[in-house]
Amino acid sequence: MPTPSSTMKAATIHRYGDPDVLQLEEIARPKPAAGEVLVRVQAAGINPVDGKTRRGQGIAGSLKGFPVVLGFDVAGIIAAVGPGVHDFFLDDPVYGMIRFPEEGRAYAQYATAPAAHLARSPASLTPVEAAAVPLAALTAWQALFEGLDLQAGETVLIHAAAGGVGHFAVQLAHLKGARVIGTASAANEDFVRGLGAERVVDYTQGPFEAAVEGVDAVLVTVAGEVRERSLAVLRPGGRLISIVGPVANAGVAKAKGLRIGALRVRPEAGQLRQLAELIDRGEVKPTVSAVFPLAEAAAAHRLSETGKTRGKIVLAIDPA
Ligand SMILES: NC(=O)c1ccc[n+]([C@@H]2O[C@H](COP(=O)([O-])OP(=O)(O)OC[C@H]3O[C@@H](n4cnc5c(N)ncnc54)[C@H](OP(=O)(O)O)[C@@H]3O)[C@@H](O)[C@H]2O)c1
């Protein structure tokens, strides 16, 4: 039965908790405000921050009340254009990371988005593949090229190189002309090498800092002690950027003259446009390792929370 035009299906939560708090519900279809568009969502990407927020962490502090619709990454079709939007038209295929770090509301058949958070979808990707890109690839881009200012010829250690952020970061750093070392478990070694890593260090077989030294830059994507342990692998004057919170141990950083930063991703349509060009030229490719229907958002979260995702997990909402 077609959805009545004033409502839509969405995966909502009415309280914080385990994945089972996600439920499929019929709710009001949103209307675009000035500067916004309405997107008919074909696919929505899953990110670890979605699960953290569902548990009351992540971006929960910026939510305005229940029910909450999680999700930031969308790929879809423009279904309506709000006042003052001149760069998108009805039926344009778009992708983007909506409203991060506010409530994104991407796990739904329709989502409104500031036009400035979207770009035209890469023509060579399916909607499911396109929805895998925005948050993870923008994070990788901003970490490597803004936070680390990575240069050709430098060596960079990328942690969790097989994950959502890592698998884009390895490709982007390799494309830049950097030498990439990635950490991953043995099952992902060939995958990470195929993305452009020169070396893969199996972090399950011993401390990574015993196998790596003197690198110019480190991208930290794993929370906990990996952040501080990573200081040991940098050359004097090296740089580290963390996307999993600040790094302690200022003493070591000062003694070695290190530059340490932490980053939170921001929507950036210009970078999405550049990513789409690289993707359409075949130079960057998202890997989608699992696809779930909207009604199984809880199962998608459970899988994400194993911490073993290769590439990305995506909700296929209306991918035809
Ligand atoms: N600050 C920001 O703006 C921002 C943006 C994006 C993400 N993040 C955060 O960054 C983290 C990573 O995000 P993501 O999307 O890349 O996660 P993800 O896709 O869930 O990462 C899964 C990967 O992590 C690897 N892994 C797990 N433990 C590891 C370890 N100790 N050493 C090396 N690799 C390990 C796994 O590899 P194996 O299967 O081979 O073990 C798996 O491929 C999350 O905490 C996320 O919330 C922050």
Side-chain angles (χ1 to χ4, degrees):
M1 220 172 73
T3 311
S5 63
S6 60
T7 64
M8 65 174 185
K9 289 188 169 41
T12 61
I13 63 168
H14 288 254
R15 61 185 170 88
Y16 298 125
D18 68 19
D20 294 329
V21 299
L22 281 156
Q23 59 178 59
L24 197 64
E25 213 183 334
E26 194 83 22
I27 62 171
R29 188 184 294 192
K31 292 192 174 64
E36 294 185 349
V37 295
L38 179 70
V39 179
R40 178 166 66 77
V41 181
Q42 294 173 292
I46 303 271
N47 288 285
V49 68
D50 303 346
K52 293 175 188 176
T53 304
R54 192 206 69 232
R55 293 195 296 274
Q57 304 155 9
I59 58 107
S62 69
L63 299 176
K64 299 198 167 61
F66 293 110
V68 167
V69 181
L70 297 169
F72 298 103
D73 280 341
V74 293
I77 304 290
I78 300 278
V81 176
V85 175
H86 306 295
D87 38 359
F88 291 111
F89 300 95
L90 279 187
D91 297 333
D92 279 351
V94 291
Y95 79 141
M97 176 184 77
I98 304 175
R99 299 183 204 278
F100 188 87
E102 308 276 315
E103 186 177 351
R105 303 184 71 84
Y107 294 1
Q109 289 179 310
Y110 290 85
T112 57
H117 295 180
L118 299 174
R120 249 190 122 78
S121 269
S124 58
L125 296 187
T126 64
V128 164
E129 291 169 325
V133 176
L135 191 149
L138 286 173
T139 305
W141 184 288
Q142 290 167 20
L144 294 174
F145 304 138
E146 296 178 358
L148 292 172
D149 190 23
L150 187 68
Q151 301 298 318
E154 291 192 311
T155 300
V156 59
L157 174 68
I158 296 173
H159 284 292
V165 175
H167 92 294
F168 285 116
V170 172
Q171 295 179 73
L172 290 170
H174 176 65
L175 206 54
K176 178 78 182 178
R179 301 174 55 209
V180 179
I181 305 171
T183 61
S185 63
N188 280 319
E189 178 171 345
D190 290 347
F191 173 64
V192 173
R193 277 189 198 281
L195 300 169
E198 203 167 281
R199 275 182 68 201
V200 179
V201 174
D202 182 352
Y203 70 93
T204 68
Q205 293 303 305
F208 63 84
E209 59 271 40
V212 182
E213 61 177 353
V215 302
D216 300 292
V218 181
L219 169 53
V220 181
T221 58
V222 178
E225 58 171 22
V226 167
R227 290 175 296 201
E228 286 74 32
R229 285 167 52 202
S230 293
L231 298 175
V233 308
L234 282 163
R235 66 162 168 81
R239 293 102 68 202
L240 178 149
I241 193 96
S242 166
I243 62 166
V244 284
V247 182
N249 212 344
V252 173
K254 194 162 178 223
K256 284 179 80 175
L258 306 176
R259 274 184 288 152
I260 311 291
L263 174 137
R264 180 179 245 191
V265 67
R266 61 175 200 286
E268 186 58 70
Q271 291 168 359
L272 286 176
R273 285 192 286 274
Q274 292 181 76
L275 283 161
E277 275 178 32
L278 294 175
I279 289 167
D280 284 340
R281 287 209 301 267
E283 292 178 322
V284 171
K285 192 175 160 5
T287 291
V288 177
S289 58
V291 181
F292 292 84
L294 185 59
E296 290 173 28
H301 273 217
R302 260 182 238 110
L303 183 62
S304 170
E305 284 164 20
T306 63
K308 301 298 286 178
T309 306
R310 176 185 286 188
K312 298 290 300 178
I313 301 168
V314 174
L315 298 174
I317 295 175
D318 184 10

